Amino acid sequence: MAAAARSGLVVTAHPGDFVWRAGGAIALHARKGYRMKIVCLSFGERGESQWAWKKAGVRLEDVKAQRRVEAEEAAGILGAEIEFLDVGDYPLRVGEAVLDRLVDVYREERPAFVLTHALEDPYNFDHPVAAHVAQEGRVIAQAAGHKPDPDRSYAAPPVFLFEPHQPEQCNFKPQVILNIDAVWETKFRAFQVLAAQKHLWEYYTRVALNRGVQGGRNSGTAMTYGEAYQRLFPMTLEELA
Amino acid sequence: MAAAARSGLVVTAHPGDFVWRAGGAIALHARKGYRMKIVCLSFGERGESQWAWKKAGVRLEDVKAQRRVEAEEAAGILGAEIEFLDVGDYPLRVGEAVLDRLVDVYREERPAFVLTHALEDPYNFDHPVAAHVAQEGRVIAQAAGHKPDPDRSYAAPPVFLFEPHQPEQCNFKPQVILNIDAVWETKFRAFQVLAAQKHLWEYYTRVALNRGVQGGRNSGTAMTYGEAYQRLFPMTLEELA
Amino acid sequence: MAAAARSGLVVTAHPGDFVWRAGGAIALHARKGYRMKIVCLSFGERGESQWAWKKAGVRLEDVKAQRRVEAEEAAGILGAEIEFLDVGDYPLRVGEAVLDRLVDVYREERPAFVLTHALEDPYNFDHPVAAHVAQEGRVIAQAAGHKPDPDRSYAAPPVFLFEPHQPEQCNFKPQVILNIDAVWETKFRAFQVLAAQKHLWEYYTRVALNRGVQGGRNSGTAMTYGEAYQRLFPMTLEELA
Amino acid sequence: MAAAARSGLVVTAHPGDFVWRAGGAIALHARKGYRMKIVCLSFGERGESQWAWKKAGVRLEDVKAQRRVEAEEAAGILGAEIEFLDVGDYPLRVGEAVLDRLVDVYREERPAFVLTHALEDPYNFDHPVAAHVAQEGRVIAQAAGHKPDPDRSYAAPPVFLFEPHQPEQCNFKPQVILNIDAVWETKFRAFQVLAAQKHLWEYYTRVALNRGVQGGRNSGTAMTYGEAYQRLFPMTLEELA
Amino acid sequence: MAAAARSGLVVTAHPGDFVWRAGGAIALHARKGYRMKIVCLSFGERGESQWAWKKAGVRLEDVKAQRRVEAEEAAGILGAEIEFLDVGDYPLRVGEAVLDRLVDVYREERPAFVLTHALEDPYNFDHPVAAHVAQEGRVIAQAAGHKPDPDRSYAAPPVFLFEPHQPEQCNFKPQVILNIDAVWETKFRAFQVLAAQKHLWEYYTRVALNRGVQGGRNSGTAMTYGEAYQRLFPMTLEELA
Amino acid sequence: MAAAARSGLVVTAHPGDFVWRAGGAIALHARKGYRMKIVCLSFGERGESQWAWKKAGVRLEDVKAQRRVEAEEAAGILGAEIEFLDVGDYPLRVGEAVLDRLVDVYREERPAFVLTHALEDPYNFDHPVAAHVAQEGRVIAQAAGHKPDPDRSYAAPPVFLFEPHQPEQCNFKPQVILNIDAVWETKFRAFQVLAAQKHLWEYYTRVALNRGVQGGRNSGTAMTYGEAYQRLFPMTLEELA
C-alpha cells in the first residue's frame, strides 16, 4: 500500500517531450504502482505542430484541441495522468499563477522524483524555462509561509533531467541510465500516437538502443533499451554497490 | 554467502588518505560483509610524515616501517586488508610492474566498487597519479589479451572518487553522500591511530558532520555523519526512487 | 578620515544570508572604520522562517516584523546599517523600482567592495536573483544617462561572492579566504540572534574553522576562522606578494 | 543574382557594438553582395554616451537623436541597413512586441547567418539580453503556428557570437577568425564616426591586428586584420579542408 | 593535379577506431582525390580482440597478425594507406622513436587535416594517449631544429577529433557534422570486415543516422548519414555562410 | 633589509617566454628589491629558433650557445639571475634530476611567488610540462622526508600563470592584472634583445596596452601597460579593498 501511494512528477514544455524523452520512466514507474503525473505547460501548438498548420484555415484553438487529444492518449498509454497549464509556446512564459499551481501540485503529489528538461537548450528556449519553473516550484513548495499549513509534510524530491534532442549542445551529461526493456513496447505505442512525427519514432528508437548499449557497458549487465538522465543533486546512499 | 563474497577496492596514494577520506565507506561495507581491500601505493614516507622527520637521524626505512605499522592498524580497525606497493612518494611514480600488480588485484577481487582520489589536486601531485592508475588498471583488467584466461570473468566496477582536502580547488563535485552514522565511531578510532595528526581529527570530523547535514538536506532523511563521493560513470537503475 | 569615509555594500536575498555567509567581513570592515551597509531584499518571511509559521494563526505581517527586528539586531551587532527593500521571497522578484533604488545606493555609498550571493544555487532561486540585481545595479550606476549629474563620481567596485550552503553544487570556487579571527566572537554573537536556527550556528562554525585551516594552508600563515569568497573580476595589483 | 539575394543579420544592444565587434564582417559581406541588416535594440543613450551627458541640460531625446545619426552614418559606411527598436538601455528589457518584430525580421530577411553578442558579459547586462532575444527570435521564426503562412520558407541560420570587450571574462572562445583585410580601411572609417571614443579606435585596432596574427598562425596563411567569432551550433561540411 | 596531391592523416590507437569513428571521412576524401594515410599505433591485440582470445592456445603474435590483415583490408576498402607503429595496447605507451616517426609522417604527408581521438576517455586510456601524440607530433614537425632542412615547407594542419563511444562522458562536443551519404555504403563495407563485432555495426549505423538527422537540423539541408567531429583550433574564413 | 631578502621565481620552458609573458613582473619586482630568479628549462633551440636554423650548417650547440647569450642578456636587462636546466625542447621532457634541482631551487630561494605557464596549451606541449614541473617541485619542496633537514623552513608560495599566446584556446582566465607602467621601457628593451622576432615586439606591445586598458576598467584607476596572470590558489586577505 505504501508503494501504491508513491508518485512521480513530470514537468514538460510540450506534449512530445514526455513521450520521446521520459516515456520509458513514466510507463515503468506506472507499472510499479507509482501514481505518475505529467504537468504539460503548453500544447506545443505553435512550435511543435508543423503538420497541423499545413491545413488551410486551421485555427490555434483547433491545433490545441488536436494536440490535447493526442497528448491525453499518449499519457493514457504510458499510465499517467496529465494536466495542461496552457501557457502558450514559442515563447513559453510562466507567470505567478502558473508557478503557484505547480507548487500546489508538488504539495498534493509529494512526488518521490521529478523529471524535467535539461538546463540549457539552444535549439528550444521553452525547454529551459520549463526546467526552471519545475525547479523553482519544487523549492517554493518547501516554504512554510507559502499557503501555510502546519500539518503539511513535504520533502523536495530528487530531480532528473531527461535527454534533449542534441545532448552535447545542451551540456547534458548522462549520470543515470534507466533500463526500460520491460516497457519498451508501451513507450513505442505512445510514439505511434504522434503519427505526424514518424521520423522521430526511428530517431528515438535509435537513441534508446544506443543508451541501452551504454547502460550495459557501464553496469556489466546487458539491457536493450535505455533512457538517460542527469541528476541535479547528490544522492544519499546506505551502500555503494 | 553471495553477499559475503562481494568485495570493495580502495586505491590510495598514502595511508592517511584511506582513513580521512574513505574510512566510513570501508568500515560500513566491511560490516555489511564485504571483503574490503586497500591498495596503498606508498607509505607517505617523505611527504606525509612531517612529525617523524623531526627526530634527528631518522632514516627513510624507519619512517616507512612506522607508517606501515600505523596503516595496518588503521586498516584493521576499519576491517580491511591492506597491500602496500611501495612505489615511493613525493613524487609518486607508477611503472609497468605496479600497474600489472594492480590489474591482478582487480581480477582477483572482482570488486563491486572502487574508491580512489579525485582526478585533480593542485596541492598534491601524488593523488591524481593514484587516481589515474586506479582507473587504468580497472580497464586493462578487461583486456582479454592481458594474461589471457578464457575462464576468467570480470566486469569493470563503478568508480567513486573520495573527497580531497580542498574540494573546490580540485573540481570535486559530490554526487553521492554516504550515510556513515553506523560506523562513525569506528572511523574515529582509526583517526586516533594517526596520533601525530590530531588537528586533522577535528578537521575531518567537521567535514563528516557538514556532509551529514547536506545528506539530510538532499534526501529529506536526517543523518549525522556523511562521506561525499563523485561517481565517474553513469549508473544504471531499475527504478528512480 | 579617508579610511572612515570608505564603505562596503552587502546585497542579500534574506536576513540569515548576511549573518552566516558575510558576517565576518561585515564586522571586520566595520571595525576597520568602513561604513557597512546591508541591502536586504526580503525578510525571508515565507521561505526562511519555518519556526515562525509553526505558531497557529500567525500572519505574514507578524513574521516580517519579527524577522525585521532580528535582522536589525544582527546587523547592529556586526556594525552595519540595514535597509530592507521588502520585495517578498519564494519567489523573490525584482522590478524596476527596486533596481532603481539599488542604483541609488551604489551612487550614495560609492562602496569600495560589494558582497553578494553566488551566481548559481539550485537549492534557492532567490539567491541568484539577488546576485544578478546586485551586479546589474553596480553597472547601471555607471551610466551617465541614468539620473544624469555631471558632478557625480562613481567607479564600479569589485564584487565578492560569499559562500553558499552547498558550495560545490553552486559551482562556487573560493579565490579569497578572509581572516576573520579578530571578529569571530562578534560574528558568533550575531548567530545567536537567530535563535531558531541553532543547528546552523554549529554548521557555520565548522565552515569557518575549515576555511580557516585552508586559509592557513594556502598562505603559510595560520588563522583560525575564515570566510571564503569568489571574485568576479580581475584585480589589479602593483606587487604580486 | 542568387548571391545578391543573400543576406546577413546583426543584432546588437547598442550602436558601438556593431562597429567595434562586427564592422569587418558587415563590410566584407556587403562588398560580396550580401544585403546586410542591423537590428540595434537601443541607442546606447544612457549607458554608452558618457561624453554626450557632459553637456549641461542635455535631454534624453537629444542624446538618442545624436546617437541615431552617428549609428546610421556608421552603418552606411559599412554598407548595412539599420533598424532601431528603441527599447532603452541600462537596463535593456525586451517585451513581446520587440521579440515579435525580431521574428518578422528573421522571416523577411531569411539571413544566411546572424551575428550577435556573447552569451555572458559581467560588465554589461544589456549584451546577454540582446544575445538571448536574437536566439529566441531565430527559433520562434521556425514555429509554423506563429503568424501561420504555409507558403513561407525559413531555415534557422547559423549564429556567430562576436568578441566582447574582455573575452576571457565572458567565457568567449574564438572558433572562427574572419579575414577582414579587404575591408579594414572601411571598418576604420566607421570607427571614426564614433569621434568621442577615440581611445577605442586604438584598442580595437590592436584587437584586429592580434586576431589577424592568430588567424595566420592557425591557418598557415598570413592575414593582417581579423575578427573573432564563436559559433553556437555545429556546422555541416562536405569536406574538411 | 593540385587536388590529387592533397592528403589527410588519421592517427588512431587501434584498428577499429578508424573504421567506426572516421571511416566516412576517410572514404569521402579518398574519393575526392586526397591521399589518405592512417597511422595505427597498435593492433588492438590485447584489449580490442576479445573474440580472438577465446580460441585456446592463441598467441599474441597470431592475434596481431589477424588484426593486421583485417585492418589492412578495411583501410583498403576505405581507400587509405595504413602504417602500424606496433607500440602495444592496454596500456599504449609512446616512446621517443614512435613520436619521431610520427613527426616524419607529418612532414612527408603535409596533410591538409588530421583526425584523431577525443582528448579524454575514461573508458579507454589508450585513446587520449594517441590524441596527445598526434598533437605533439604535429607541433614538433614545425620545429626548425628537429632534423633541420631549410628547404622543407610544413604548416601544422587543423585537427578534428572523431566521436568516442560515449561522447558526453568524454566531454566531446560536435562542432562539425560531415555529410557521409556519398560513401556510406563504403563505410558499411569496412564495418563488415570487423566480423566479430557485429553488434557495433548496428550501433555505429545508428550513430551515423542520428548524426545525419542532427546535421540536417543544424544546416537546414537534409542528409542521411553524418560523422561528428570536434575542432581543436579556430578556423579562418573568408566568408561566414 | 627584509624586503631585499625577498625573492620571486620564474619557471619557463624557453627563453622567449619570460620576456614576452613575465618581463614586466620580473623587472618590477627586481626594482622593488626582490631577488628574481629564472629557471629556464631549455634554450628553445629546436622549436623557438627558426631564424637560427636558416643558416646552412648550423649545429645544435651553436644554436644553444646563441640562445643562451641572448637569454642572459634579456635576464640581465630585467634584473634577474637565470639558470638553464638544458633538458631539450620539442619535446621537453623532465626527469628526476631536473625535478630534484627545481626542488632545491625552491628551498634555496624560498620565493614569495612563482610565475609559470598556463596549464594547457594546444599550440605548445612544452609549456604545460613546464607548468607541471613548476607546481610539482613547489609541493615536493614541502616534503620533510625529501633531503631531510629539520632546520629548514619553507612555505609553498602562491603560483601565478602568465599569459599564453592565444589565451582563450588555453583556457587562461586573467584574475590579476599587474600594472607594469613603471618598467615598460625595461621590458621593451628586453624585447629588443630578441632581434629575430621583431613581429612579436609589436604583438606583445599590443597585448600589454590592451591588458592595461582592461586593468584600468576593472580597477577604476588608469594604467597604460598591464600583464595578465591567473592565480592557482585562493589568496588570504585581511581586508577586501
Side-chain angles (χ1 to χ4, degrees), chain B residues 1-223:
Chain B
M1 213 173 88
R6 304 189 82 186
S7 76
L9 178 62
V10 186
V11 181
T12 65
H14 318 103
D17 297 326
F18 70 80
V19 178
W20 313 119
R21 310 185 195 299
I26 296 169
L28 184 70
H29 289 84
R31 176 173 300 193
K32 285 177 194 287
Y34 283 73
R35 189 177 65 252
M36 294 301 300
K37 164 113 189 196
I38 300 162
V39 173
C40 192
L41 294 166
S42 80
F43 296 102
E45 61 267 25
R46 305 205 319 161
E48 316 245 312
S49 308
Q50 273 77 340
W51 62 98
W53 291 101
K54 289 191 173 135
K55 212 171 84 183
V58 74
R59 294 167 317 156
L60 191 67
E61 291 319 301
D62 302 336
V63 177
K64 286 167 71 170
Q66 247 177 274
R67 299 298 324 261
R68 173 193 284 272
V69 168
E70 205 178 85
E72 286 173 344
E73 187 183 343
I77 288 171
L78 297 171
E81 180 193 335
I82 189 163
E83 176 174 343
F84 294 98
L85 299 189
D86 193 10
V87 302
D89 70 332
Y90 282 71
L92 187 153
R93 298 285 188 253
V94 173
E96 293 306 306
V98 166
L99 177 57
D100 194 67
R101 174 61 198 139
L102 196 56
V103 174
D104 286 351
V105 171
Y106 274 100
R107 289 181 168 182
E108 290 161 17
E109 298 293 331
R110 285 179 294 150
F113 60 85
V114 188
L115 312 181
T116 191
H117 291 272
L119 304 188
E120 302 171 48
D121 191 340
Y123 296 100
N124 191 314
F125 290 90
D126 294 356
H127 290 172
V129 173
H132 190 271
V133 74
Q135 291 180 82
E136 199 172 24
R138 168 187 174 273
V139 169
I140 293 174
Q142 291 177 303
H146 175 91
K147 303 186 185 169
D149 172 359
D151 299 333
R152 187 179 46 231
S153 87
Y154 167 79
V159 180
F160 295 85
L161 310 179
F162 43 64
E163 178 166 351
H165 190 267
Q166 297 190 44
E168 300 95 343
Q169 306 303 322
C170 303
N171 294 320
F172 175 81
K173 189 157 187 171
Q175 292 168 343
V176 166
I177 296 179
L178 185 71
N179 182 340
I180 59 167
D181 286 358
V183 295
W184 171 254
E185 196 223 3
T186 307
K187 180 168 179 175
F188 194 75
R189 269 195 296 127
F191 279 14
Q192 293 169 299
V193 175
L194 307 176
Q197 294 167 286
K198 224 165 182 166
H199 61 292
L200 289 179
W201 302 4
E202 288 162 23
Y203 186 89
Y204 283 107
T205 298
R206 291 189 299 259
V207 167
L209 285 164
N210 281 14
R211 290 301 183 195
V213 171
Q214 294 174 8
R217 188 159 168 181
N218 278 290
S219 66
T221 308
M223 65 168 77

Side-chain angles (χ1 to χ4, degrees), chain C residues 16-17 48-49 53 73 84 112 115 123 163 179 183 225-226 229:
Chain C
D17 298 325
E48 315 247 312
S49 309
W53 291 100
E73 188 183 344
F84 293 98
L115 311 181
Y123 297 100
E163 178 167 352
N179 182 340
V183 294
Y225 296 98
Y229 290 91

